[in-house]
Amino acid sequence: MKTWQLLRQNRHLFQRYFVKEFLIRGIREFFQNKKYHELESPILAPALPQERYLSPLHVEVKTSNFESIAYIIPTTERYNKIILAAGLGDHFVITKVARSSEELSKNHSLEFTMCEWYHINGTYLDLMSDCEDLIRFLHRYIYDSFVKEKNLGRFPIDLSYFYEDYIIYQDEKINIKYPFYRKSVPDLLNEYSQIDLNNIQDESDFRSNLKSKNYINIENLNWQEMFELVFAKEIEPNLPKDRPVFVYDYPKQVCVLTKPNATNNLVCEKVELYICGKEIGNGYTELTDWHLQKINFDREMKARKKLNLQTINYDYELLDALKLGIPDVAGIGIGLDRLAMIFANVKNISDINYFSINEWDIFNSK
Amino acid sequence: MAGTTELRRGMIIMHNGEPCILIEKEFYSPGKGAAFNRCKLKSIKTRKITYEVIKSGTKVDELDVISKTVSFLYEDGINAYFMDPETFEQYDILLSEIQGGKSFLYTEGKYIITLYEGKPIYLQIPAKITLTVVSTPEGVKGDTVSNATKEAELETGLVVQVPLFIKNGDKIVVNTEEQTYYSKA
């Protein structure tokens, strides 16, 4: 049964679909209070940053002006940085983005709603504070919105699962008081995998280390893939769930658009926000040095070629913007579908979207 | 050999030299990173559970199994009994090996059973299943906009919380993974 048919018979289910609507409204209010501008981003782009694991969707454009492919943006990053070079300053964007995925699952859809913001003169530490403020604000905002909706009497609304300072998600009680946990990747590697980042810089050393820990099928993996494997197998499942967690300082090998950390040259200033084991956000102190950015793009372009991945049109315009100069800035993207899943307490991304791909008639045809 | 896109519940793979049933699989792709599959595997010999992360794009060693659609006959508290409606062949499987025990087994319900070397080793329960309410107190009249719930016993003995408008004899859709009410059928 499709969602619209289900909703016709089960009016109480509307509540979970209202969450994303309230989230979007709340985010606008939050950033307006901070005097941020809102950028309306295009959803198509002629070129994208080179990143080895990016799987953008694209459309074929045939007009009398040109024939080319256009990417459906997987993130708004290129537009944010270009408009920063123009001088817009602090701003946020809420838009749909799309990413190809080899499988659609309860946490993955082809398209999703993203909020990105760029904090001028900020670093990833400021992004962590912004996220704490935003999550707490939204928690309150959603509750207030449901109270208003309940008073209107149009839909059955359940307020029983709202608690001050806590989010209930599945069987977890997530404390959202200040501060959220902050854990660096080098510390997490030490704590959960007994790996010292200093000792695995060489790919073969990393491989021997993993072999001694009984990892199998790692012969053909490169450094980045081995890191992702350790992270997926030993770190991510063990991240605490009783509070949101900021994981920060990622190895430089897996960072492309991120500023290197000044005090530890093995890592870059990247932060990811996890709530209840779900990856919700990804941000950086942005790399503003165009020369370094070009080196990273070239490295990633070569890696894509080696991995036999689709070529992505090189983003010269973004490099031009960096050449002219953008201010020191930190930027982050938050996946609103996953955040809505947490606030609505549902397990499946299709349970917070009225129309989801797994309801297309062809979905189960294979 | 099979690719990771072919990983599915109920398939049998060789893992560390042992045949294992894939009990659960979750695809996982970081925002910016390689994609993986988190798998829960159960050894056929020792019944031991292991968790493995398999990188997308790698090959897994799939073993030949037979999957059949069977209908549920009955259970005796220890085993559940099924029949292939075409050959009338019967199969039994320990209730303790079935997700939810007998909670999702209803007479003439259709299930997919996996046979390895001729023996039934796994029963796949659909993600959502429709069951009849056999016992639930009457809802308070005029309370249809309220959000209170009440207990309802279903034909399989499973008890779930349901909205007040559900009555005896109603068919409801149950989410089998969470063992919760999903909607009115």
Side-chain angles (χ1 to χ4, degrees), chain A residues 27-62:
Chain A
I27 290 170
R28 288 216 159 92
E29 191 169 315
F30 178 83
F31 282 109
Q32 272 158 16
N33 291 344
K34 287 168 76 87
K35 310 278 183 273
Y36 272 49
H37 272 286
E38 179 168 358
L39 172 70
E40 196 213 6
S41 168
I43 57 161
L44 297 178
L48 292 173
Q50 300 290 321
E51 290 187 83
R52 74 184 65 189
Y53 294 118
L54 206 58
S55 330
L57 293 173
H58 63 260
V59 289
E60 314 257 342
V61 182
K62 277 190 181 177

Side-chain angles (χ1 to χ4, degrees), chain A residues 6 10 51 53 77 99 101-103 107-108 150 156-157 221 225 228-229 232-233 236 279 284 347, chain B residues 16 25-34 36 38 52 55-56 145 147 177-178 181-184:
Chain A
L6 195 66
N10 296 273
E51 290 187 83
Y53 294 118
E77 194 149 357
R99 290 176 189 178
S101 178
E102 76 171 39
E103 183 177 327
N107 283 315
H108 297 91
K150 192 178 172 77
I157 298 293
L221 301 190
E225 289 169 327
E228 302 281 359
L229 186 62
K233 196 174 153 88
E236 208 181 74
E279 183 193 338
Y284 333 117
K347 269 190 180 172
Chain B
N16 279 338
K25 186 208 91 157
E26 189 186 349
F27 174 72
Y28 151 92
S29 169
K32 297 191 171 182
F36 292 95
R38 293 187 190 286
E52 193 52 67
K55 188 185 163 292
S56 283
V145 188
N147 307 288
E177 192 185 341
E178 296 170 40
Y181 169 86
Y182 184 74
S183 69
K184 200 169 174 220

Side-chain angles (χ1 to χ4, degrees), chain A residues 10-36:
Chain A
N10 296 273
R11 216 167 150 73
H12 71 283
L13 288 179
F14 267 99
Q15 181 167 0
R16 64 168 76 134
Y17 298 90
F18 291 153
V19 172
K20 200 156 61 161
E21 176 188 336
F22 296 155
L23 270 181
I24 290 170
R25 213 183 288 163
I27 290 170
R28 288 216 159 92
E29 191 169 315
F30 178 83
F31 282 109
Q32 272 158 16
N33 291 344
K34 287 168 76 87
K35 310 278 183 273
Y36 272 49

Side-chain angles (χ1 to χ4, degrees), chain A residues 28-149:
Chain A
R28 288 216 159 92
E29 191 169 315
F30 178 83
F31 282 109
Q32 272 158 16
N33 291 344
K34 287 168 76 87
K35 310 278 183 273
Y36 272 49
H37 272 286
E38 179 168 358
L39 172 70
E40 196 213 6
S41 168
I43 57 161
L44 297 178
L48 292 173
Q50 300 290 321
E51 290 187 83
R52 74 184 65 189
Y53 294 118
L54 206 58
S55 330
L57 293 173
H58 63 260
V59 289
E60 314 257 342
V61 182
K62 277 190 181 177
T63 73
S64 60
N65 311 85
F66 69 91
E67 287 188 15
S68 173
I69 62 162
Y71 300 101
I72 305 174
I73 48 167
T75 141
T76 58
E77 194 149 357
R78 82 178 292 269
Y79 289 118
N80 297 110
K81 286 182 174 167
I82 293 170
I83 210 67
L84 283 173
L88 182 66
D90 290 321
H91 69 276
F92 72 102
V93 50
I94 297 173
T95 185
K96 281 275 191 184
V97 296
R99 290 176 189 178
S100 177
S101 178
E102 76 171 39
E103 183 177 327
L104 305 176
S105 68
K106 55 187 178 186
N107 283 315
H108 297 91
S109 184
L110 280 185
E111 56 172 293
F112 56 98
T113 309
M114 179 98 123
C115 166
E116 297 200 23
W117 71 91
Y118 283 74
H119 185 136
I120 302 292
N121 291 325
T123 67
Y124 65 157
L125 299 174
D126 297 301
L127 296 177
M128 297 185 212
S129 307
D130 288 347
C131 284
E132 285 170 340
D133 293 343
L134 179 63
I135 299 287
R136 292 181 55 80
F137 177 88
L138 292 173
H139 180 60
R140 187 74 225 178
Y141 189 91
I142 289 171
Y143 175 76
D144 290 345
S145 303
F146 276 128
V147 170
K148 283 180 201 158
E149 185 61 50

Side-chain angles (χ1 to χ4, degrees), chain A residues 162-290:
Chain A
F162 285 97
Y163 295 89
E164 187 93 28
D165 291 327
Y166 287 94
I167 300 172
I168 304 294
Y169 183 68
Q170 304 300 314
D171 296 327
E172 299 291 336
K173 193 173 172 192
I174 309 162
N175 182 338
I176 55 163
K177 286 180 194 158
Y178 296 108
F180 298 174
Y181 290 125
R182 285 162 166 73
K183 291 177 179 285
S184 80
V185 173
D187 286 351
L188 288 167
L189 281 172
N190 263 321
E191 191 179 340
Y192 295 129
S193 336
Q194 294 77 49
I195 288 176
D196 183 338
L197 188 58
N198 287 288
N199 300 337
I200 54 157
Q201 289 302 305
D202 186 82
E203 197 168 284
S204 56
D205 292 343
F206 197 177
R207 189 168 290 115
S208 323
N209 184 309
L210 295 188
K211 274 187 190 158
S212 71
K213 302 175 74 186
N214 295 323
Y215 272 77
I216 52 171
N217 298 333
I218 55 169
E219 289 306 330
N220 298 319
L221 301 190
N222 60 35
W223 199 98
Q224 285 80 1
E225 289 169 327
M226 287 191 284
F227 171 76
E228 302 281 359
L229 186 62
V230 171
F231 197 86
K233 196 174 153 88
E234 299 189 66
I235 296 180
E236 208 181 74
N238 293 315
L239 289 174
K241 291 184 172 161
D242 58 329
R243 277 176 193 267
V245 189
F246 294 113
V247 178
Y248 66 96
D249 279 348
Y250 279 70
K252 62 181 183 201
Q253 292 90 335
V254 298
C255 296
V256 180
L257 296 132
T258 316
K259 188 176 179 179
N261 185 307
T263 54
N264 178 357
N265 64 10
L266 298 182
V267 298
C268 291
E269 295 189 358
K270 163 174 154 129
V271 59
E272 292 202 350
L273 169 63
Y274 282 87
I275 303 181
C276 215
K278 277 190 212 311
E279 183 193 338
I280 300 292
N282 178 23
Y284 333 117
T285 309
E286 300 291 346
L287 182 58
T288 52
D289 178 333
W290 78 270

Side-chain angles (χ1 to χ4, degrees), chain B:
Chain B
M1 298 297 256
T4 45
T5 51
E6 296 160 74
L7 288 172
R8 65 192 180 279
R9 286 196 302 168
M11 94 192 260
I12 312 290
I13 61 174
M14 262 324 231
H15 181 68
N16 279 338
E18 266 190 64
C20 295
I21 315 170
L22 183 63
I23 305 277
E24 279 172 30
K25 186 208 91 157
E26 189 186 349
F27 174 72
Y28 151 92
S29 169
K32 297 191 171 182
F36 292 95
N37 296 277
R38 293 187 190 286
C39 300
K40 184 176 174 184
L41 300 164
K42 187 188 221 172
S43 160
I44 292 177
K45 283 187 193 125
T46 64
R47 317 309 291 175
K48 208 182 133 212
I49 302 274
T50 50
Y51 294 88
E52 193 52 67
V53 174
I54 301 175
K55 188 185 163 292
S56 283
T58 51
K59 296 279 179 217
V60 292
D61 196 356
E62 182 184 10
L63 301 179
D64 280 341
V65 292
I66 297 169
S67 291
K68 277 188 171 182
T69 302
V70 292
S71 34
F72 173 62
L73 296 175
Y74 65 98
E75 50 84 18
D76 59 11
I78 298 164
N79 288 301
Y81 299 87
F82 301 87
M83 184 177 72
D84 181 337
E86 282 170 16
T87 64
F88 303 109
E89 205 163 343
Q90 284 195 24
Y91 302 100
D92 59 278
I93 191 160
L94 279 169
L95 276 176
S96 57
E97 296 285 329
I98 298 174
Q99 177 200 342
K102 62 172 190 166
S103 299
F104 307 116
L105 302 177
Y106 63 100
T107 314
E108 289 173 17
K110 297 275 188 288
Y111 304 86
I112 295 171
I113 203 164
T114 303
L115 308 174
Y116 178 64
E117 293 178 341
K119 284 197 326 213
I121 50 163
Y122 180 73
L123 186 80
Q124 196 175 322
I125 302 286
K128 294 198 174 77
I129 207 163
T130 303
L131 296 171
T132 307
V133 176
V134 293
S135 168
T136 188
E138 270 191 39
V140 184
K141 222 180 167 189
D143 206 6
T144 48
V145 188
S146 148
N147 307 288
T149 57
K150 58 179 183 171
E151 277 192 353
E153 190 185 338
L154 310 179
E155 59 186 302
T156 61
L158 179 70
V159 176
V160 292
Q161 291 291 319
V162 298
L164 296 181
F165 59 79
I166 297 293
K167 301 184 296 292
N168 284 336
D170 279 353
K171 285 185 182 300
I172 64 167
V173 179
V174 176
N175 179 325
T176 57
E177 192 185 341
E178 296 170 40
Q179 306 210 357
T180 52
Y181 169 86
Y182 184 74
S183 69
K184 200 169 174 220

